[in-house]
Amino acid sequence: MSASPPDLATELLRLAEADPARLTGLATEVARRARDGGDLELASSACRALGIAALHVTDLRTAERHLRDAIRLAVRAGSPELAAEARLRLAFVRCVQGRMEQAISEVELALPDLHGAGRARAEAQRAVIFNHLRRPEDALASYRLAVPFLSRAGDHLWLQRVLSNRGIVHGYRHEFAAAESDFQEAERLCRQLDLDLSLAVVWQNLGWLNALRGEVPAALRYLDQAERRFRALDTHQLCWTLADRTELLLSAGLIAEAREAAEETVQEFERRGRKVGLPEARLLLARTAYLVRDHEEAVREARRAALAFGRQHRREWVAVARFVALRSLAAMSDDPGRAPAVGRVGRGGRVSVRQMEECAAELAETGWPAPEVEARMIAARLAVDAGRPKRAERQWEIAGRRRHRGPAGERIHAWHAEALLRLARGNPRGAKSAVRTALRLHDEYRATLGATDLRAHASESRVEVAELGLRLALRDGVPADVLTWAERGRARHLLMRPARPAHDRHLAEALAQLRITVARIQEGRTAGEDTAALVERQITLEREIRDHCRRQEKVSTDTIPTAPVPLRRVVEALGEQALVEFVQVDDTLHAITVVDGRSRLRALGPLAPVRTLVDRVPFALRRLARRTSVPGSQAAALNLLRDTVAKLDALLLRPLAGDLRDRPLVLVPSGPIQALPWSLLPSCAGRAICVSPSATLWYAGTQAGRARTETGRVVVAAGPGLPGARWEAEGVASIHAVPALVDDAAGAEAVLADLDGAALAHVAAHGRIHPSNPLFSSLRLADGPLTVYDLERLHRAPEIVVLAACDTGRFVVRPGDELLGLSATFLALGTRTIVAPVLSILDTESTTLMIALHKLLAAGHSTASALAQAQQQVARDNLEAYAVAAGFVCLGADSTMPT
């Protein structure tokens, strides 16, 4: 590198911010030659550049050593200004070490020797320290002094850094437009100066800002960009990106992923010795532990964070760490048996109302609005439990003041507080209005999310609010109102199509690679080979596909899910059918029936006995379906099954028999009865039954069916390795006079293409529920798995789908009865009717049932009626066939094949 010493020094300092790894070798050689040649000023600048690079890519001790060398060389050169510039960077090292007082002292030592732009750089460095201390007013005052000087001096290297850091302060103050303006200008300067590393820092900050204002897809895009760059450069900024990602996952309700990310964040901060960030990472870990009810770990990590913040003189952060610990202690006090494990907090080991009130006040004083609202909600609950309603009202009143400003999540909680306040003050109508507003805000927020899993998980934050509205409706006892409120909190994400570009080549290629990898894993395991590398490849591809889809924003116009279906529309669509919607509140099960234009509401009783009985059904069916040589085994299983379903019938349907009589049923289950094989219940035997996630989704299916009157295609396919699948597919295909896709013809892309727009689709294959991500639940086809992500690429879903594959009718149930899985996806995409098993059928042959079903469909019977009759026919054959047939249910709205 040939340049004059001042130009060379400037380039070294620029390169330290652009590519610190490449800078290290170059600057080391320049420093050596400058020393040998007596150019101590250039040697000092080279050492300062080495210190900056070491701060990014090696360790803080090395950075400190280089910066001290830079100071000594500048002093020897008689340049106090160069020494002060190096001292400013040493101040930042002290800040990252968590030694805040020493960091400020280094800035104070540098200031007398700095003038003009140098003094502006000192103010900017002091502002960074103030920002870590959560002193935004002091930080902004320093930035106001620094920015004009740096701009006039043309010091764009420091100006981009200052703008990026000032944007963070604006973000904390919820001044989002000002923050975005600063970040965008910093991004422009980084591109102009070719600062790769600094550009990635700006991307990280833009990701953090978008997460803060609830724009999850944009946040994910920026954080992914930043993380890739930081990993490539191997810099310490990766720690902060992981922390921001954890925060984002928490806000999106992806708790399991957030906990893994928090653990990685702690490890990364520890590995790199960034003590200033370590307590923040521990605080994230404490928050994730609270959400999975590991309160002991939450208290332990929050207390460790509070102690570390205290040592760093970060009072504002101590306040939020104390709240996180106190929140878990309050949760533990509801379970007295566990409370002594972390020590007593107040009288009797309980968190007192006063403690939580004081905590909320401290959060307000130190500028934590979202935790403050949550703390006041907890304080109000504690006050109610203690019989102090006026103190509860005061906390709700203060929390509710934030309902008109701030991010969506904060406003939703504030409206919840307002609803509780209005209810406490004798205004139930106003309370319902506040709840409706909170739910509308949540729907608007969720509409910005393109990915199915993000929408489903986002519902967790609305459950408590929706339950308040439902509880109010139950108290009034008006069935139509209860139905409406139940629908407001049920399976809402299924009313929204996932966002996908028309032709997403990247997604299609990644899914194809996943199929190839899974097929090679199966081949390798069959051959007894080591498949560890292939499994790792599968995990990487699944993560890539998941993250790619999460980055998609909602692009269609139907962003907000439809309002709950009015009762009069339900009545019109039901005809001779009867609707039963089950509702669970406070561990009590209720049922709303709609028959002949009349609606009734009944309390069915505690949910616990129902849950216990439902858990017995799969065990009994598996024993019946398994051919065993143990004498009396099947007889015992049959007795257990009959006893169990009789008791379930007595709890769920017999109390409604006077209304339902012998009508076809539309059932909308909740909670544990989502996976119930309804045909087993005596009241349901031989009866046409449709099971739907919500009445609104069922009604939408009935209306969509009216628009599809044309004759459509029939698609039949069989996957490999399932006993009788080929025979079954060929038998079904012959009934409809179509060819069956079997062997190599039944590849994923070929089957997907035929499914698009079909009137009837039948797939016999191995089904799999993915253990950690339901969107990778799949049907095994000739070349690998056909996943939910594949199905979401359909332009038009089949009208009727029959899945002869175990577990394909079973939903993964998220809070708010938000459902994920293969059948849920078909329903969300517009499939009207699905026949699928809600239980594992042990991959046992289902051919007899399927042939009977399709003969009835071809003869003009509706799907629900055909399934009921086919189940009755098969039940007479043998116990194994009976057990297999019983697991199937008809999902969605009833329909008849086009003729």
Side-chain angles (χ1 to χ4, degrees), residues 98 139 268 285 351 397 410 443 629 682 760 795 854 872:
E268 193 67 20
L285 188 57
V351 175
E397 181 180 11
E410 196 175 306
D443 283 341
S629 58
L760 169 66
H795 297 285
H854 281 276
Q872 289 287 94

Side-chain angles (χ1 to χ4, degrees), residues 3 12 75 88 120 170 188 271 354 438 508 550 600 639 665 677 683 814 832 855:
L12 290 175
V75 170
L88 289 183
H170 286 312
R188 186 188 68 79
R271 183 174 75 84
R354 181 179 296 279
R550 286 178 179 175
R600 292 188 180 180
N639 289 334
L665 297 181
S683 296
R814 297 289 308 155
R832 190 177 180 193
K855 285 181 177 179

Side-chain angles (χ1 to χ4, degrees), residues 614-625:
V614 169
D615 289 343
R616 294 179 189 170
V617 174
F619 170 76
L621 281 177
R622 288 191 191 101
R623 287 186 65 183
L624 278 178

Side-chain angles (χ1 to χ4, degrees), residues 806-859:
C806 63
D807 283 329
T808 49
R810 184 158 65 89
F811 301 120
V812 176
V813 184
R814 297 289 308 155
D817 281 324
E818 296 290 358
L819 309 178
L820 294 168
L822 288 161
S823 293
T825 300
F826 275 116
L827 290 173
L829 294 174
T831 292
R832 190 177 180 193
T833 316
I834 302 168
V835 174
V838 292
L839 303 172
S840 171
I841 55 175
L842 302 174
D843 293 329
T844 305
E845 188 176 311
S846 56
T847 304
T848 305
L849 175 71
M850 294 295 104
I851 295 295
L853 169 70
H854 281 276
K855 285 181 177 179
L856 290 162
L857 286 174

Side-chain angles (χ1 to χ4, degrees), residues 185-483:
E185 178 61 14
E187 183 178 25
R188 186 188 68 79
L189 291 171
C190 287
R191 293 186 187 279
Q192 177 183 313
L193 297 172
D194 196 21
L195 300 175
D196 279 4
L197 175 58
S198 296
L199 180 59
V201 172
V202 176
W203 289 340
Q204 177 203 341
N205 289 338
L206 281 165
W208 168 79
L209 177 67
N210 279 284
L212 200 61
R213 59 189 181 189
E215 297 176 7
V216 176
L220 285 168
R221 285 197 300 275
Y222 280 118
L223 291 177
D224 285 348
Q225 286 178 234
E227 184 174 338
R228 284 194 296 271
R229 188 66 56 88
F230 292 147
R231 288 192 185 276
L233 297 173
D234 191 27
T235 66
H236 79 99
Q237 284 89 353
L238 176 63
C239 303
W240 302 101
T241 307
L242 292 173
D244 288 344
R245 183 179 293 280
T246 304
E247 186 76 56
L248 179 63
L249 292 170
L250 279 171
S251 71
L254 298 163
I255 310 306
E257 290 180 43
R259 191 168 193 182
E260 289 181 9
E263 290 169 350
E264 184 183 2
T265 304
V266 169
Q267 293 167 5
E268 193 67 20
F269 272 114
E270 287 179 330
R271 183 174 75 84
R272 294 184 181 270
R274 268 49 180 180
K275 293 185 179 179
V276 70
L278 184 56
E280 294 179 39
R282 292 200 182 283
L283 194 57
L284 287 169
L285 188 57
R287 289 168 58 196
T288 62
Y290 167 80
L291 291 170
V292 297
R293 303 183 189 280
D294 188 352
H295 297 305
E296 291 185 3
E297 181 180 8
V299 172
R300 183 169 58 250
E301 292 296 337
R303 284 176 171 173
R304 291 179 71 179
L307 287 171
F309 286 135
R311 287 193 293 268
Q312 295 172 8
H313 304 284
R314 299 166 72 183
R315 170 178 168 268
E316 288 77 5
W317 283 94
V318 172
V320 75
R322 284 175 178 164
F323 162 66
V324 172
L326 202 60
R327 178 178 63 175
S328 278
L329 289 167
M332 292 178 71
S333 68
D334 294 332
D335 183 4
R338 294 181 59 189
V342 292
R344 296 164 72 86
V345 183
R347 184 175 299 174
R350 299 182 65 84
V351 175
S352 69
V353 178
R354 181 179 296 279
Q355 284 176 300
M356 194 57 77
E357 288 174 339
E358 291 173 351
C359 179
E362 187 179 20
L363 290 167
E365 180 188 349
T366 51
W368 296 99
E372 179 208 342
V373 170
E374 189 175 357
R376 294 197 185 281
M377 294 290 281
I378 297 172
R381 176 176 61 80
L382 293 173
V384 170
D385 292 345
R388 299 174 179 177
K390 293 301 180 184
R391 290 178 70 170
E393 288 179 27
R394 176 60 178 161
Q395 294 305 310
W396 287 325
E397 181 180 11
I398 298 172
R401 292 171 184 168
R402 294 195 172 274
R403 64 190 185 276
H404 296 301
R405 64 184 187 275
E410 196 175 306
R411 285 181 288 144
I412 290 167
H413 287 304
W415 275 108
H416 186 196
E418 178 67 15
L420 291 167
L421 176 66
R422 292 177 183 181
L423 181 61
R425 291 180 174 173
N427 182 9
R429 183 176 179 180
K432 289 179 183 178
S433 175
V435 171
R436 280 193 293 269
T437 302
L439 296 179
R440 177 181 55 78
L441 286 171
H442 187 275
D443 283 341
E444 290 172 357
Y445 160 69
R446 184 163 50 182
T448 66
L449 307 175
T452 300
D453 59 342
L454 289 181
R455 290 173 178 168
H457 286 272
S459 295
E460 192 140 4
S461 62
R462 70 179 279 144
V463 170
E464 195 173 356
V465 186
E467 283 186 352
L468 174 60
L470 183 55
R471 201 174 284 113
L472 289 171
L474 284 168
R475 190 178 70 174
D476 293 343
V478 179
D481 290 347
V482 176
L483 179 66

Side-chain angles (χ1 to χ4, degrees), residues 356 492 547:
M356 194 57 77
R492 299 289 288 165
D547 292 346

